[in-house]
Amino acid sequence: MRLRLTNTAESIVRAGHPWLFADSIREQNREGKVGELAVIYDRNDKFLAAGLFDPDSPIRVRILHAGKPATIDAAWWQARLGQALSRRAGLFDATTTGYRLIHGESDGWPGLVLDRYATTLVMKLYTAAWLPRLEEVLAQFKEQIACERIVLRLSRNIQALAQKQFRRSDGQILFGAPPEGAVIFSENGVRFEADVLRGQKTGFFLDQRESRAAVERLAAGKKVLNAFSFSGGFSVYAARGGARLVTDLDISAHALASAKRNFELNKNYPAVAAGRHEMVQADAFEWIEKTPARFDLIVLDPPSLAKRAGEREGAIRAYERLNLLGINLLARGGILVAGSCSAHVPAAEFFDAVRRAAMKSGRKFIELKTLQHPPDHPAGFKEAEYLKVIYLRFAT
Ligand code: SAH
């Protein structure tokens, strides 16, 4: 199918932006089917770009290719995958077997994520536009990446359509035998389980690897609180770093049960075996406000507090409030590790909200560092920047 765009959209696509919203389409030669290749021409009838059409999404086309005309065939897909793989060459040694191989738009695979957990690959789709091309893409994965199995995960909004039109379901095994229980992988030598069939995202928050390693270096001798702990990622690192006590706090019993197993998996490290591990199942916002406990290091990494652009200001206030509550639980010399995964809250605004909370606490503090996207989760355009973490140490 052929499309023509508004002038503004034309310049946006020309500048390399991967999303084309429905209201930027000025002309469409016919009704498009999900996943069909949309070819976009500019006002002079020259080829501008090609992308995946999605009639059910406000992001109507996800750009695959812009610039010179190209044929999107097997060789093209092969090269595109090769680019994502070579970008990661040499980033990880054998102590890290869990990381992202394809990070959606920013790797040129709009709406598609591919994570590796040891010998299991998990492909997660955020747009139905990939469904008609699944076999084609799968063939490339099998050819270029050594693996035992490939699992399909579907974002909630496309599950019904995937089932009805394509007989695909969330957690379906696309290749190989189903895993026997959770998949075990390692990250910097720490062993973790991932529930690749049902867990959040693709089973684990691979994006926080570097922030977890930084926590390990800061944890010796400390009492640590990991709020919104999920499966205890930050906690096991803290324990290996010599934390005296680690408390996991999460609203989900399922997440805490996984955290417990992740501790067990690492008992071979004397520091993990020696440290205490506690778990609290509660609403973290309420618990943090009421607890009399004090900690030397607190990790606050809540789920996204802004699901829509319109929720940005409220989210910034919520981050400030949550982090002030956290700071109030810090003992003298304590460290706050504050994270945000809201794409609608820019890093600078989040960092300022946490600094404001620190100022309001009336305590002296220094900023240790900030972290954003790790290299296996590149952010190639503004809307893709969601991850940020700030570390503050309170002198008093
Ligand atoms: N820091 C984690 C990822 C956090 S994901 C990691 O590095 O792996 C967000 C977690 O917050 C989920 O496990 C979810 O169960 C939990 N959660 C969501 N709302 C919560 C609430 N109100 N109180 C406590 N936990 C909550």
Side-chain angles (χ1 to χ4, degrees):
M1 67 185 305
R2 305 158 136 265
L3 305 181
R4 283 194 179 74
L5 313 182
T6 63
N7 290 349
T8 324
E10 222 179 275
S11 2
I12 292 172
V13 170
R14 215 182 284 283
H17 200 284
W19 290 344
L20 192 60
F21 287 93
D23 58 9
S24 6
I25 299 174
R26 190 165 57 79
E27 220 182 287
Q28 181 173 330
N29 68 331
R30 59 181 166 79
E31 240 178 85
K33 284 206 289 282
V34 65
E36 192 176 335
L37 195 71
V39 184
I40 303 161
Y41 293 89
D42 71 7
R43 67 198 88 166
N44 301 316
D45 272 341
K46 281 233 190 63
F47 175 89
L48 182 61
L52 299 176
F53 190 78
D54 187 348
D56 305 311
S57 169
I59 305 177
R60 194 54 46 90
V61 178
R62 292 173 196 248
I63 307 294
L64 284 173
H65 173 86
K68 292 208 181 78
T71 314
I72 314 248
D73 54 11
W76 187 92
W77 287 112
Q78 186 183 25
R80 182 58 57 105
L81 178 58
Q83 281 161 17
L85 298 180
S86 54
R87 182 176 206 164
R88 285 149 179 92
L91 285 183
F92 306 106
D93 63 19
T95 64
T96 298
T97 62
Y99 50 87
R100 184 150 292 188
L101 290 167
I102 297 178
H103 185 54
E105 280 78 351
S106 304
D107 273 310
W109 294 75
L112 183 152
V113 152
L114 186 69
D115 284 342
R116 173 189 169 201
Y117 294 100
T119 54
T120 297
L121 298 183
V122 186
M123 171 179 13
K124 180 145 184 182
L125 304 182
Y126 293 89
T127 164
W130 288 102
L131 291 165
R133 291 168 195 277
L134 225 48
E135 289 302 333
E136 196 178 354
V137 163
L138 211 56
Q140 292 296 340
F141 293 171
K142 283 194 267 188
E143 193 177 304
Q144 291 195 55
I145 313 165
C147 66
E148 239 182 296
R149 69 176 63 82
I150 305 179
V151 177
L152 176 68
R153 297 296 309 272
L154 302 170
S155 75
R156 193 158 300 153
N157 58 318
I158 65 168
Q159 288 177 6
L161 181 135
Q163 184 56 251
K164 203 166 143 232
Q165 278 192 39
F166 300 93
R167 300 273 155 236
R168 300 287 187 190
S169 56
D170 186 42
Q172 189 178 343
I173 310 291
L174 297 174
F175 164 70
E180 287 165 26
V183 168
I184 312 288
F185 67 99
S186 38
E187 197 187 85
N188 296 312
V190 181
R191 296 175 77 215
F192 287 114
E193 63 167 38
D195 178 359
V196 295
L197 302 184
R198 280 167 302 267
Q200 289 189 53
K201 289 211 175 187
T202 59
F204 196 76
F205 289 83
L206 294 169
D207 52 2
Q208 289 286 27
R209 179 191 318 105
E210 293 181 350
S211 351
R212 287 191 277 267
V215 161
E216 173 172 19
R217 294 190 289 271
L218 292 165
K222 296 204 160 82
K223 256 183 88 174
V224 175
L225 172 66
N226 182 9
F228 309 95
S229 64
F230 186 57
S231 60
F234 279 100
S235 308
V236 184
Y237 272 81
R240 192 173 68 163
R244 193 153 45 93
L245 166 71
V246 185
T247 304
D248 275 323
L249 170 60
D250 202 285
I251 203 160
S252 151
H254 188 72
L256 291 172
S258 175
K260 187 156 193 263
R261 290 190 294 270
N262 282 332
F263 262 84
E264 289 302 323
L265 280 174
N266 290 281
K267 286 281 164 76
N268 57 314
Y269 290 108
V272 177
R276 271 172 58 211
H277 179 217
E278 288 178 357
M279 280 167 295
V280 179
Q281 188 190 351
D283 180 314
F285 296 95
E286 289 174 11
W287 191 87
I288 286 176
E289 196 163 7
K290 293 197 193 117
T291 181
R294 291 296 174 268
F295 300 91
D296 306 306
L297 191 157
I298 299 183
V299 180
L300 285 179
D301 182 29
S304 173
L305 299 183
K307 299 268 192 298
R308 278 173 282 283
E311 292 172 357
R312 181 176 130 265
E313 282 179 26
I316 290 171
R317 281 193 300 273
Y319 282 121
E320 183 180 326
R321 191 180 123 78
L322 173 68
N323 282 290
L324 180 53
L325 291 173
I327 293 164
N328 290 339
L329 300 188
L330 280 175
R332 204 184 156 84
I335 294 171
L336 175 74
V337 179
S340 159
C341 58
S342 307
H344 297 295
V345 176
E349 293 182 26
F350 172 71
F351 294 152
D352 279 344
V354 180
R355 290 175 191 129
R356 264 196 314 279
M359 234 98 84
K360 281 189 184 161
S361 76
R363 296 166 69 172
K364 260 202 174 139
F365 69 96
I366 54 161
E367 195 168 311
L368 297 179
K369 68 161 162 184
T370 58
L371 280 176
Q372 295 190 52
H373 283 243
D376 59 330
H377 290 65
F381 58 111
K382 196 172 70 55
E383 292 88 335
E385 292 173 16
Y386 68 95
L387 192 70
K388 51 264 177 205
V389 188
I390 181 167
Y391 294 65
L392 303 180
R393 192 199 305 268
F394 290 79
T396 52

